[in-house]
Amino acid sequence: MPSNRNYPYIVQNLTHNLCIRYEALQTINDLEDAVSVLEELLVSLPDGHIQKTDIIYPLSRALLLRGKHKGSADDINRTIQELTSARSELSQSIQGPDSLLTLSDAHLTRFRLSHDVNDANIGVDIITVLLDSVIPAYKRYQCLICAAELYMEDGTPYRNVSTA
């Protein structure tokens, strides 16, 4: 029940699993459910609530997946907006590296929709900062994969297959 003090954590686990199931089965209803539950939770928490920032990352991840699935610029833009506005708080949390990876991916996805080179540049800047700061072996492989994908992207000023 929403009145349970552990409800935000339970919702996070539920929506994380819905996103995993979406990635495996490509069932858009899983993303719709995840976004809906997370949005309800986010609205229900008062401003300044300690868990409010913790909800932004899973919501943004679900929005990004849904945006990619539907080709929805609105979902991609909202992902970027949510993660950018909470970037300093998220960087201090355990979700910091994941949220930056998602933000970079969102910029790359928006670049693919709009062909605005600025988005591609922001994506590679985020990954460069993340690679410099992430602890070796902790999420580093994901950062390297994301960086390689960015360097392989056609239409960017930094495209370089050998660097990728």
Side-chain angles (χ1 to χ4, degrees), residues 112-125:
R112 289 174 178 158
L113 293 173
S114 70
H115 304 290
D116 182 352
V117 175
N118 188 43
D119 276 313
N121 289 334
I122 292 170
V124 81
D125 288 345

Side-chain angles (χ1 to χ4, degrees), residues 7 13 30 34 44 47 68 70 78 82 114 127 129 153 155:
Y7 185 73
N13 287 333
D30 287 336
S44 73
D47 287 340
K68 286 180 172 184
K70 292 183 171 183
R78 181 152 176 229
E82 294 285 349
S114 70
I127 287 300
V129 168
E153 191 65 33

Side-chain angles (χ1 to χ4, degrees), residues 13-84:
N13 287 333
L14 169 69
T15 57
H16 175 76
N17 290 329
L18 285 169
C19 288
I20 289 172
R21 188 168 72 180
Y22 163 77
E23 289 175 321
L25 303 175
Q26 299 293 303
T27 306
I28 192 67
N29 288 341
D30 287 336
L31 294 179
E32 299 292 352
D33 291 345
V35 169
S36 176
V37 170
L38 287 164
E39 284 177 332
E40 287 175 20
L41 178 58
L42 195 60
V43 169
S44 73
L45 295 173
D47 287 340
H49 192 282
I50 193 164
Q51 292 171 321
K52 198 159 189 152
T53 302
D54 294 340
I55 302 304
I56 291 173
Y57 168 67
L59 174 60
S60 297
R61 181 170 180 256
L63 285 167
L64 178 60
L65 290 171
R66 187 174 76 177
K68 286 180 172 184
H69 182 90
K70 292 183 171 183
S72 168
D74 290 340
D75 283 342
I76 304 306
N77 290 335
R78 181 152 176 229
T79 298
I80 291 169
Q81 176 190 4
E82 294 285 349
L83 289 174
T84 301

